[in-house]
Amino acid sequence: MVGAESPELRALRDAERELFPPAMPALGTPWPDQLPSPLPSNPNVPRVHATGLPPAPAEVAPPVAEGGKDLSWLTHLELPDLPVRWDARVIRYLEFYKSDPRGRQLFAYWLRRSGRYRDAIRRSFRKKALPEDLSWIAMVESGYDPSARSPAGALGLWQFMPETGRLYGLTVDRWADQRLNVDAATDAAAELMADLYRRFGTWELAVASYNLGYGGMMSLVRRYNTNDFWALSRLEGSLPWETSLYVPKLIAIAIVGKNLATFGYADVVPEVPVDSDEIKVAPGTPLVAVAQAAGVPAKEIETLNLELRAGRTPPAPADAPLPGELESAYYAVKVPRGKGPAALAGLARTRGADQLLERYVVRFGETVDQIAATRHVTPARIAELNAILPGEVIRGGTILLLPKGAPIPSIVARATAETGVGGAVGGAAAGGAGNKAIVFVPPDLFVYPDRRRVFYRVVVGDTVKDIADAFHVTVDDLRRWNDIDPAGRLLEGMTLQVFVPTNADLSKVSVLAENDARIVPVGSIEFFDFWEGTRGKRRIVVEARPGDTLDSIGKRHGVSSTMMERVNRRGRNEALKEGESVVVYVPPPAGAGEIAFKTGASSQGETAQRGARAEPVPNGPLPDAPYPDGLPQLP
């Protein structure tokens, strides 16, 4: 299970609020970071004015820090391969890790953990000709915890956001989240750092952009007209407080890492590096099967392969051959060092089991229940095979594993299965003649000689734009055809009518054809007969008598004044003109329920026959709440 932010990182943030109160000094006052370099001065050595290299700090006497502290000990430090500026924030972090018990405890803990991954990270950075001390960013970001998750949704050792991870080649979907794969995420982080350095030209801005984001840093550089990180960090309203500390923190950690004995960490023993064999495994293979083949506990395989979210390797892509027929579709799985050959041999002996499953590409708007009905398999079995969480929304295009050989009904049969016998699609109610699903549409009539009408049932998380894109129509088209507000949320169960070109390919969208639906215009007599019939009432229109009001008509028919006002949209005591039409919802006459509501489902017909005295029917348990990730992001 992927964890939240670690207690150690929270403890560091608490300490930072104490060490660096997030407040700006008064404008015009000097900042305490104007400290000279502690490098010793030697008058016998000529000063170099130009070497083609970045300028070195001025050679001056050791500084005196805030409160008169002696900082001469800085002169003996070995410097990292990152540019060092003796900013007051850098020095304060150094003192925190050198003398503060909280800092010492945190750094010792992270230093021990760094042994698992730091050598591999340095090798990756070295291959891209990056400063190896950038590897300490993993400590700043996650404390070397590959399962760390930030409140903002960043994940893994390098705390990638989903879109940034995808941009740099990491798979992030419901089957695999390679932000949790240390090797893949490290390569992506190295590529990102190299890209940021190419864009900004200094490691300070590149590192700060890793925290803030490229776009945000670019806008600040342009707005404040400076490309100097240290200058930006002093300007009011520029860098966020966290980013203004991010670079000094990394520099301080890199300095400590170069001088462990000076800071008192020489006795800290790093943990043993994570070592493993990597084997190619067929798509859809459960990790339990890999563990059994390797002869190790399943938990050990899961820990080595945190990115595999469903407990098995991802299915092959939708356009790939079946599992076992394409080597490139196999997934690289880690097993303990030395167990690779045994695992491959064991999997080869049991490979026949994966032939019992096949891929299924979910159509846009299709639900697990609909898939289960069309494939004659239980929703629980689909959830088990694909590790679907309660309430999780499966979006169109997702690849699922289903038992092989389940028949796929025809389009008409599939529509019936999706809605249930006599069922409804979307904002429609139970069926009518021929068990067709009832669909309610706006009263406006649309006629297109070169188009056909289909109906789409809204599922959790759908937006008007998503649906428009799926059908290759415009948002404005959907608005006109369905009387909807594109700015509002679409609620699960609504049904939208869509007019698509006659030859449109809808194989990837879950739709109901017009011939398979009973279409009822909203506001029509049939519409009111249906809905009032489900409540045991009948809609009639009466003519007002002299002196009538809604209140008096309602009393004659046993209908409340409130209902009369609601239906006719006028005051209950307002005088009516003689002969004026008034709508009244009354209980049906005895024995008429079966005739009046014959087109409804049997349960609804029974309700109509019982009339207003129908006994309440329990609603049953509430459905699971929709999975939060399925809902669109707030702006």
Side-chain angles (χ1 to χ4, degrees), residues 431-492:
N435 286 329
K436 289 186 176 181
I438 296 180
V439 179
F440 301 110
V441 299
D444 296 331
L445 181 64
F446 300 91
V447 178
Y448 300 96
D450 59 341
R451 291 175 178 256
R452 59 191 171 100
R453 177 165 60 173
V454 295
F455 299 98
Y456 173 77
R457 180 184 185 276
V458 174
V459 298
V460 174
D462 276 346
T463 66
V464 176
K465 186 179 184 308
D466 289 340
I467 298 172
D469 291 344
F471 284 95
H472 303 289
V473 298
T474 68
V475 169
D476 191 58
D477 286 335
L478 289 180
R479 178 193 61 78
R480 287 186 293 105
W481 294 335
N482 298 280
D483 285 346
I484 57 174
D485 182 352
R489 292 264 196 213
L490 293 176
L491 301 185
E492 182 184 17

Side-chain angles (χ1 to χ4, degrees), residues 105-448:
Q105 182 179 8
L106 289 172
F107 194 91
Y109 175 77
W110 287 328
L111 184 61
R112 280 192 293 271
R113 292 194 60 154
S114 72
R116 302 180 186 180
Y117 313 108
R118 194 153 56 89
D119 289 344
I121 294 172
R122 286 180 175 272
R123 285 194 298 270
S124 178
F125 279 38
R126 194 180 306 130
K127 283 190 295 186
K128 294 190 180 294
L130 298 177
E132 294 182 22
D133 285 317
L134 288 174
S135 63
W136 295 105
I137 290 178
M139 177 184 284
V140 177
E141 287 288 339
S142 65
Y144 289 107
D145 180 2
S147 65
R149 181 193 294 272
S150 80
L155 191 62
L157 197 73
W158 297 97
Q159 291 292 281
F160 274 106
M161 295 295 287
E163 289 308 314
T164 306
R166 293 188 183 102
L167 184 64
Y168 283 89
L170 300 178
T171 298
V172 182
D173 58 26
R174 72 168 315 278
W175 286 101
D177 192 335
Q178 289 187 318
R179 294 179 295 168
L180 296 168
N181 182 306
V182 173
D183 294 337
T186 297
D187 288 342
E191 189 62 44
L192 172 56
M193 287 304 308
D195 192 18
L196 292 173
Y197 182 72
R198 284 191 294 267
R199 291 169 186 263
F200 290 104
T202 71
W203 285 117
E204 292 91 342
L205 280 185
V207 170
S209 300
Y210 191 96
N211 175 258
L212 178 61
Y214 164 72
M217 182 60 71
M218 184 68 74
S219 67
L220 287 177
V221 168
R222 288 171 174 162
R223 184 187 314 165
Y224 290 92
N225 201 33
T226 177
N227 62 356
D228 185 305
F229 166 81
W230 304 103
L232 274 175
S233 69
R234 294 196 300 268
L235 294 172
E236 179 178 350
S238 58
L239 294 174
W241 178 71
E242 179 183 348
T243 306
S244 70
L245 298 180
Y246 193 85
V247 174
K249 180 166 30 180
L250 174 65
I251 293 173
I253 288 175
I255 291 172
V256 176
K258 283 283 188 180
N259 301 272
L260 295 177
T262 301
F263 285 85
Y265 298 104
D267 296 334
V268 176
V269 179
E271 295 179 10
V272 177
V274 175
D275 202 5
S276 62
D277 290 343
E278 200 170 79
I279 60 174
K280 291 286 190 175
V281 176
T285 302
L287 293 184
V288 172
V290 177
Q292 291 173 347
V296 298
K299 187 67 176 178
E300 194 168 347
I301 300 298
E302 292 171 1
T303 301
L304 288 172
N305 299 275
L306 289 174
E307 76 274 16
L308 296 179
R309 303 174 64 183
R312 62 171 73 233
T313 56
D319 56 353
L322 292 174
E325 298 179 6
L326 185 63
E327 187 70 22
S328 63
Y330 281 34
Y331 193 90
V333 173
K334 293 184 178 66
V335 297
R337 173 64 70 185
K339 297 291 184 179
L344 286 173
L347 288 173
R349 290 192 297 270
T350 60
R351 187 156 292 168
D354 62 5
Q355 302 303 316
L356 301 177
L357 301 177
E358 63 182 351
R359 297 187 308 274
Y360 180 84
V361 182
V362 178
R363 295 175 295 156
F364 184 84
E366 199 170 29
T367 66
V368 171
D369 287 342
Q370 292 169 356
I371 297 170
T374 60
R375 298 301 296 263
H376 300 295
V377 61
T378 64
R381 178 60 175 155
I382 296 178
E384 176 190 357
L385 286 173
N386 298 277
I388 298 175
L389 300 173
E392 181 181 353
V393 178
I394 302 299
R395 310 301 295 174
T398 300
I399 299 175
L400 298 180
L401 291 173
L402 300 180
K404 183 177 288 189
I408 303 178
S410 67
I411 294 176
V412 174
R414 181 186 291 133
T416 302
E418 288 174 354
T419 61
V421 177
V425 172
N435 286 329
K436 289 186 176 181
I438 296 180
V439 179
F440 301 110
V441 299
D444 296 331
L445 181 64
F446 300 91
V447 178
Y448 300 96

